[in-house]
């Protein structure tokens, strides 16, 4: 009963691995340089990683990567995987042109028991990834205006994913995972500032300025435009900005408030 976890050292992957190990379920955390080597760009690395696997947590870290996940899903099922959990995105279930739409279709058509997770923006983006440098520098500059997001704690995502990997009760379910209330980025930054005792501000910048700054930092222009469009969707109240009760539906408990995430991250020294 071995589970393969793609992006096993990432924000959700490492948390899921921890939960499976705590449940005495064998789990392989796969990555390009991890204990279980796996490169989605190199199918020759897939066979060894999938050997003996009965379940898989599937992540596509590169939205411009095309058809890697459908091919991987087919090989995983052929190797014996009978349960698949896919980390997707809010828009992927409604837009056939979304980069993750083919991955969702492949999972649904795989013949395995499947669960699709469509989380909104991670709270941990403030403490572990994209927005951390701005928070540490004292100014978070984004083109999101007063758009609101019900930030989801990665711990909640991991709880849902682990439950879907360990039990049958989530088979055939798609979950739109959000936090319990929507915040503007200004409100989120203010909560972090209060918890850390630092002066941190949110700066609303134009999409054009944001693209220029990314390109200046070495981001390819097409990628910069894609990321900016995703952020501008927040400004416009697009998909992933509405609050759902799907964490409650999946786990029987409410999603964690953003304030709890901030308190835990501050106590762990995320912003010091």
């Amino acid at each position: 009963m071995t589970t393969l976890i793609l992006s096993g050292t990432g924000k959700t992957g490492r948390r899921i691995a921890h939960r499976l190990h705590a449940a005495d379920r064998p789990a392989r955390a796969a990555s390009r340089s991890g204990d279980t080597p796996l490169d989605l760009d190199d199918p020759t690395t897939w066979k060894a990683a999938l050997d003996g696997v009965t379940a898989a947590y599937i992540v596509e870290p590169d939205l411009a990567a095309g058809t890697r996940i459908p091919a991987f899903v087919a090989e995983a099922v052929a190797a014996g995987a009978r349960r698949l959990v896919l980390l997707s995105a809010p828009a992927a279930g409604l837009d056939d042109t979304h980069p993750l739409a083919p991955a969702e279709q492949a999972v649904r058509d795989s013949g395995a028991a499947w669960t699709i997770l469509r989380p909104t923006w991670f709270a941990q983006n403030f403490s572990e990834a994209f927005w951390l440098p701005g928070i540490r520098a004292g100014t978070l500059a984004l083109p999101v205006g007063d758009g609101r997001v019900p930030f989801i704690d990665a711990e909640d995502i991991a709880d849902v994913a682990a439950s879907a990997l360990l039990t049958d009760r989530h088979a055939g379910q798609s979950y739109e995972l959000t936090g319990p209330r929507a915040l503007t980025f200004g409100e989120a930054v203010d909560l972090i500032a209060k918890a850390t005792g630092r002066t941190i501000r949110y700066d609303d910048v134009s999409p054009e300025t944001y693209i220029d700054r990314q390109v200046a930092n070495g981001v390819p222009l097409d990628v910069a435009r894609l990321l900016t469009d995703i952020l501008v969707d927040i400004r416009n109240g697009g998909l992933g900005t509405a609050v759902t009760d799907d964490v409650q539906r999946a786990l029987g408990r409410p999603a964690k408030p953003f304030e709890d995430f901030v308190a835990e991250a501050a106590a762990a020294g995320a912003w010091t």
Side-chain angles (χ1 to χ4, degrees):
M1 301 294 291
T2 299
T3 299
L4 182 69
I5 303 171
L6 298 194
S7 294
T9 59
K11 285 193 289 295
T12 59
R14 72 177 188 273
R15 290 174 166 89
I16 294 166
H18 175 77
R19 284 158 172 76
L20 296 188
H21 288 312
D24 293 325
R25 174 67 62 86
R28 297 176 190 160
S31 63
R32 288 180 178 177
S33 58
D35 294 337
T36 300
L38 189 147
D39 184 346
L40 284 173
D41 280 330
D42 183 2
T44 64
T45 66
W46 299 357
K47 183 177 180 180
L50 287 166
D51 184 40
V53 163
T54 58
Y57 176 70
I58 300 172
V59 179
E60 174 53 90
D62 183 359
L63 291 182
T67 59
R68 300 191 307 183
I69 293 303
F72 180 82
V73 166
E75 185 155 340
V77 172
R82 294 294 174 261
R83 185 176 292 159
L84 304 175
V85 177
L86 173 69
L87 183 69
S88 187
L94 299 174
D95 181 0
D96 290 341
T97 67
H98 191 281
L100 289 176
E104 288 204 7
Q105 192 65 49
V107 165
R108 288 193 295 266
D109 293 343
S110 66
W114 57 267
T115 307
I116 294 174
L117 311 182
R118 301 188 189 113
T120 187
W121 292 89
F122 294 13
Q124 277 74 12
N125 286 339
F126 290 99
S127 62
E128 298 179 16
F130 311 112
W131 307 323
L132 177 58
I135 295 294
R136 285 183 170 166
T139 301
L140 179 63
L142 295 170
V144 296
D146 291 326
R148 291 183 172 271
V149 174
F151 300 104
I152 178 76
D153 195 307
E155 301 289 350
D156 282 345
I157 301 171
D159 280 345
V160 177
S163 182
L165 290 165
L166 292 169
T167 71
D168 293 325
R169 65 188 184 89
H170 304 282
Q173 295 292 318
S174 297
Y175 294 115
E176 310 286 336
L177 301 176
T178 78
R181 70 186 181 100
L183 300 169
T184 67
F185 278 73
E187 290 169 342
V189 167
D190 285 346
L191 287 169
I192 295 170
K194 182 178 179 181
T196 59
R198 296 178 52 220
T199 299
I200 311 171
R201 68 186 187 92
Y202 163 66
D203 183 16
D204 178 32
V205 298
S206 71
E208 295 76 18
T209 296
Y210 191 69
I211 290 172
D212 290 344
R213 289 179 181 178
Q214 289 183 89
V215 171
N217 287 326
V219 178
L221 179 59
D222 58 339
V223 175
R225 286 173 172 164
L226 174 63
L227 294 174
T228 301
D229 287 346
I230 293 172
L231 289 168
V232 169
D233 193 53
I234 296 173
R235 179 193 293 268
N236 297 332
L239 293 170
T241 60
V243 176
T244 77
D245 65 353
D246 279 13
V247 171
Q248 176 79 46
R249 182 163 68 91
L251 300 176
R253 64 158 178 84
K256 289 176 61 177
F258 188 78
E259 290 84 350
D260 288 3
F261 152 74
V262 169
E264 292 168 6
W271 298 301
T272 58

